[in-house]
Coordinates of all heavy atoms in Angstrom, one line a residue:
S1 N -1.8 22.0 7.0 CA -2.1 22.2 8.4 C -3.5 21.6 8.8 O -4.2 21.2 7.9 CB -2.1 23.7 8.8 OG -3.3 24.3 8.2
A2 N -3.8 21.5 10.0 CA -5.1 20.9 10.4 C -6.2 21.8 9.9 O -7.3 21.3 9.8 CB -5.1 20.8 12.0
T3 N -6.0 23.0 9.6 CA -7.1 23.9 9.2 C -7.2 23.9 7.7 O -8.0 24.6 7.1 CB -6.8 25.4 9.6 OG1 -5.6 25.8 9.1 CG2 -6.8 25.5 11.2
A4 N -6.4 23.1 7.0 CA -6.4 23.0 5.5 C -6.8 21.6 5.1 O -6.0 20.8 4.7 CB -5.1 23.3 4.9
P5 N -8.2 21.3 5.2 CA -8.6 19.9 5.0 C -8.4 19.5 3.5 O -8.4 18.3 3.2 CB -10.1 20.0 5.3 CG -10.5 21.4 5.2 CD -9.3 22.2 5.6
A6 N -8.2 20.4 2.6 CA -8.0 20.1 1.2 C -6.5 19.8 0.9 O -6.2 19.5 -0.2 CB -8.5 21.2 0.3
C7 N -5.7 19.8 1.9 CA -4.3 19.5 1.7 C -4.1 18.1 1.2 O -4.6 17.2 1.7 CB -3.5 19.7 3.1 SG -1.8 19.3 2.9
R8 N -3.4 18.0 0.1 CA -3.2 16.7 -0.5 C -1.7 16.4 -0.6 O -1.3 15.6 -1.4 CB -3.7 16.8 -2.0 CG -5.2 17.0 -2.0 CD -5.7 17.0 -3.4 NE -4.8 17.7 -4.3 CZ -4.9 17.6 -5.6 NH1 -5.8 16.9 -6.2 NH2 -4.0 18.2 -6.4
W9 N -0.9 16.9 0.3 CA 0.5 16.6 0.3 C 0.7 15.1 0.6 O 0.0 14.5 1.4 CB 1.3 17.4 1.3 CG 2.7 17.0 1.3 CD1 3.6 17.6 0.4 CD2 3.4 16.1 2.0 NE1 4.8 17.0 0.6 CE2 4.7 16.1 1.6 CE3 3.0 15.2 3.0 CZ2 5.7 15.2 2.1 CZ3 4.0 14.4 3.6 CH2 5.3 14.4 3.1
R10 N 1.6 14.5 -0.2 CA 2.0 13.2 0.0 C 3.5 13.1 -0.4 O 3.9 13.8 -1.3 CB 1.1 12.2 -0.7 CG 1.2 12.4 -2.2 CD 0.0 11.7 -2.8 NE -0.1 11.9 -4.3 CZ -0.5 13.1 -4.8 NH1 -0.9 14.1 -4.1 NH2 -0.5 13.2 -6.1
P11 N 4.2 12.2 0.2 CA 5.6 12.1 -0.3 C 5.7 11.7 -1.8 O 4.7 11.0 -2.2 CB 6.2 10.9 0.6 CG 5.2 10.7 1.6 CD 3.9 11.3 1.2
P12 N 6.7 12.1 -2.5 CA 6.8 11.7 -3.9 C 6.8 10.1 -4.0 O 7.4 9.5 -3.2 CB 8.1 12.3 -4.4 CG 8.6 13.1 -3.3 CD 7.8 12.9 -2.1
S13 N 6.1 9.6 -5.0 CA 6.1 8.2 -5.1 C 7.4 7.7 -5.9 O 8.0 8.5 -6.6 CB 4.9 7.7 -5.9 OG 4.9 8.3 -7.2
T14 N 7.8 6.5 -5.7 CA 8.9 5.9 -6.3 C 8.4 5.1 -7.5 O 7.5 4.3 -7.4 CB 9.7 5.0 -5.4 OG1 10.1 5.7 -4.3 CG2 10.9 4.4 -6.1
P15 N 8.9 5.4 -8.7 CA 8.4 4.6 -9.9 C 8.7 3.1 -9.7 O 9.8 2.8 -9.2 CB 9.2 5.2 -11.1 CG 9.8 6.4 -10.6 CD 9.9 6.4 -9.1
T16 N 7.8 2.3 -10.1 CA 8.0 0.9 -10.0 C 7.8 0.3 -11.4 O 7.1 0.8 -12.3 CB 7.0 0.2 -9.1 OG1 5.7 0.5 -9.5 CG2 7.2 0.7 -7.7
S17 N 8.5 -0.8 -11.7 CA 8.4 -1.5 -13.0 C 7.3 -2.6 -12.9 O 7.2 -3.3 -11.9 CB 9.7 -2.1 -13.3 OG 9.6 -2.9 -14.5
T18 N 6.5 -2.7 -13.9 CA 5.6 -3.8 -14.0 C 6.0 -4.8 -15.1 O 5.3 -5.7 -15.5 CB 4.2 -3.3 -14.4 OG1 4.3 -2.6 -15.6 CG2 3.7 -2.4 -13.3
A19 N 7.3 -4.7 -15.6 CA 7.7 -5.5 -16.6 C 8.2 -6.9 -16.2 O 8.5 -7.8 -17.0 CB 8.9 -4.8 -17.4
G20 N 8.3 -7.1 -14.9 CA 8.8 -8.4 -14.3 C 10.3 -8.4 -14.1 O 10.9 -7.4 -14.3
P21 N 10.8 -9.5 -13.7 CA 12.2 -9.6 -13.4 C 13.1 -9.3 -14.7 O 12.7 -9.7 -15.8 CB 12.5 -11.0 -12.9 CG 11.2 -11.7 -13.2 CD 10.1 -10.8 -13.5
S22 N 14.2 -8.7 -14.4 CA 15.1 -8.4 -15.5 C 16.0 -9.6 -15.8 O 16.5 -10.3 -14.9 CB 16.0 -7.2 -15.1 OG 17.0 -7.0 -16.1
T23 N 16.2 -9.8 -17.1 CA 17.1 -10.9 -17.5 C 18.4 -10.3 -18.2 O 19.3 -11.1 -18.6 CB 16.5 -11.9 -18.5 OG1 16.0 -11.1 -19.6 CG2 15.3 -12.6 -17.8
G24 N 18.4 -9.0 -18.3 CA 19.6 -8.3 -18.9 C 20.7 -8.1 -17.9 O 20.6 -8.4 -16.8
P25 N 21.8 -7.4 -18.4 CA 22.9 -7.1 -17.5 C 22.5 -6.0 -16.5 O 21.5 -5.3 -16.8 CB 23.9 -6.6 -18.5 CG 23.2 -6.1 -19.7 CD 22.0 -7.0 -19.8
P26 N 23.2 -5.9 -15.4 CA 22.9 -4.8 -14.4 C 23.1 -3.5 -15.0 O 23.9 -3.3 -16.0 CB 23.8 -5.1 -13.3 CG 24.8 -6.1 -13.8 CD 24.3 -6.7 -15.0
S27 N 22.4 -2.5 -14.6 CA 22.5 -1.1 -15.1 C 22.8 -0.2 -13.9 O 22.4 -0.5 -12.8 CB 21.3 -0.7 -15.9 OG 20.2 -0.7 -15.0
R28 N 23.3 1.0 -14.2 CA 23.6 2.0 -13.1 C 22.3 2.8 -13.0 O 21.6 3.1 -13.9 CB 24.7 2.9 -13.5 CG 26.0 2.3 -13.4 CD 27.1 3.3 -13.6 NE 27.6 3.8 -12.3 CZ 28.6 3.2 -11.7 NH1 29.2 2.2 -12.1 NH2 29.0 3.7 -10.5
S29 N 22.1 3.3 -11.7 CA 20.9 4.1 -11.4 C 21.4 5.3 -10.6 O 22.3 5.1 -9.8 CB 19.9 3.3 -10.7 OG 18.8 4.1 -10.2
T30 N 20.8 6.4 -10.8 CA 21.1 7.6 -9.9 C 20.2 7.7 -8.7 O 20.3 8.6 -8.0 CB 21.0 8.9 -10.7 OG1 19.7 9.0 -11.2 CG2 22.0 8.9 -11.9
T31 N 19.4 6.7 -8.5 CA 18.5 6.7 -7.3 C 19.1 6.0 -6.2 O 20.1 5.2 -6.3 CB 17.1 6.0 -7.7 OG1 17.4 4.7 -8.0 CG2 16.4 6.8 -8.8
F32 N 18.6 6.3 -5.0 CA 19.2 5.7 -3.8 C 18.7 4.2 -3.7 O 17.6 3.9 -3.9 CB 18.7 6.5 -2.5 CG 19.2 5.9 -1.2 CD1 20.5 6.0 -0.8 CD2 18.3 5.1 -0.4 CE1 20.9 5.5 0.3 CE2 18.8 4.6 0.7 CZ 20.1 4.8 1.1
S33 N 19.6 3.4 -3.3 CA 19.3 2.0 -3.1 C 19.8 1.6 -1.7 O 20.8 2.0 -1.2 CB 20.0 1.1 -4.1 OG 19.9 -0.3 -3.7
A34 N 19.0 0.8 -1.0 CA 19.4 0.3 0.3 C 20.4 -0.8 0.2 O 20.9 -1.3 1.2 CB 18.1 -0.2 1.0
H35 N 20.8 -1.2 -1.0 CA 21.8 -2.2 -1.2 C 23.1 -1.7 -1.6 O 23.7 -2.1 -2.6 CB 21.2 -3.3 -2.2 CG 20.0 -3.9 -1.7 ND1 20.0 -4.9 -0.8 CD2 18.7 -3.6 -2.0 CE1 18.7 -5.3 -0.6 NE2 17.9 -4.5 -1.3
A36 N 23.6 -0.8 -0.9 CA 24.9 -0.2 -1.2 C 26.0 -0.8 -0.3 O 25.7 -1.3 0.8 CB 24.9 1.3 -0.9
D37 N 27.2 -0.9 -0.8 CA 28.3 -1.4 0.0 C 28.8 -0.3 0.9 O 28.5 0.9 0.7 CB 29.3 -2.2 -0.8 CG 30.1 -1.3 -1.7 OD1 30.1 0.0 -1.5 OD2 30.8 -1.8 -2.7
A38 N 29.7 -0.6 1.8 CA 30.2 0.4 2.7 C 30.9 1.6 2.0 O 30.8 2.7 2.4 CB 31.2 -0.2 3.7
D39 N 31.7 1.3 0.9 CA 32.4 2.4 0.2 C 31.3 3.3 -0.5 O 31.5 4.5 -0.4 CB 33.3 1.8 -0.9 CG 34.5 1.1 -0.4 OD1 34.9 1.4 0.7 OD2 35.0 0.2 -1.1
Q40 N 30.3 2.8 -1.0 CA 29.2 3.6 -1.6 C 28.5 4.4 -0.6 O 28.2 5.6 -0.8 CB 28.2 2.7 -2.4 CG 28.8 2.1 -3.6 CD 27.9 1.0 -4.2 OE1 27.3 0.2 -3.5 NE2 27.7 1.1 -5.5
I41 N 28.3 3.9 0.6 CA 27.6 4.6 1.7 C 28.5 5.7 2.1 O 28.0 6.9 2.3 CB 27.2 3.7 2.9 CG1 26.1 2.7 2.4 CG2 26.8 4.5 4.1 CD1 25.9 1.6 3.4
I42 N 29.8 5.5 2.3 CA 30.7 6.5 2.7 C 30.8 7.6 1.7 O 30.7 8.8 2.0 CB 32.2 6.0 3.0 CG1 32.2 5.0 4.2 CG2 33.2 7.1 3.1 CD1 32.0 5.7 5.5
D43 N 30.8 7.3 0.4 CA 30.8 8.3 -0.7 C 29.6 9.1 -0.6 O 29.6 10.4 -0.8 CB 31.0 7.7 -2.0 CG 32.4 7.1 -2.3 OD1 33.3 7.5 -1.5 OD2 32.6 6.3 -3.2
W44 N 28.4 8.5 -0.4 CA 27.1 9.2 -0.4 C 27.1 10.1 0.8 O 26.7 11.3 0.7 CB 26.0 8.1 -0.3 CG 24.6 8.7 -0.3 CD1 24.0 9.3 -1.4 CD2 23.7 8.8 0.8 NE1 22.7 9.7 -1.0 CE2 22.5 9.4 0.3 CE3 23.8 8.4 2.1 CZ2 21.4 9.6 1.1 CZ3 22.7 8.6 2.9 CH2 21.5 9.2 2.4
L45 N 27.5 9.7 2.0 CA 27.6 10.5 3.2 C 28.5 11.7 3.0 O 28.2 12.8 3.5 CB 28.0 9.7 4.4 CG 27.0 8.6 4.9 CD1 27.6 7.8 6.0 CD2 25.7 9.3 5.4
R46 N 29.7 11.5 2.4 CA 30.7 12.5 2.2 C 30.1 13.7 1.5 O 30.5 14.9 1.7 CB 31.8 11.9 1.4 CG 33.1 12.8 1.4 CD 34.2 12.1 0.6 NE 34.5 10.7 0.8 CZ 35.2 10.2 1.8 NH1 35.8 11.0 2.7 NH2 35.4 8.9 1.9
A47 N 29.1 13.5 0.6 CA 28.5 14.6 -0.1 C 27.4 15.4 0.7 O 27.0 16.4 0.3 CB 27.8 14.0 -1.4

């Protein structure tokens, strides 16, 4: 709140990789991606 100047809330950060571009095969992730196709979006919304 405005009366709690020590408040340190911040949204959770998203881990990022510093390893550079991947040259291996694609892998599955359980995190949200903005690059979903329509079927994936419908499945995600259905839940």
Side-chain angles (χ1 to χ4, degrees):
S1 71
T3 60
C7 177
R8 298 182 318 167
W9 181 84
R10 61 198 175 284
S13 62
T14 303
T16 58
S17 171
T18 57
S22 172
T23 58
S27 63
R28 286 191 98 90
S29 173
T30 58
T31 59
F32 178 76
S33 168
H35 299 281
D37 66 19
D39 290 336
Q40 292 170 316
I41 292 170
I42 294 289
D43 288 343
W44 183 73
L45 291 172
R46 194 180 314 277

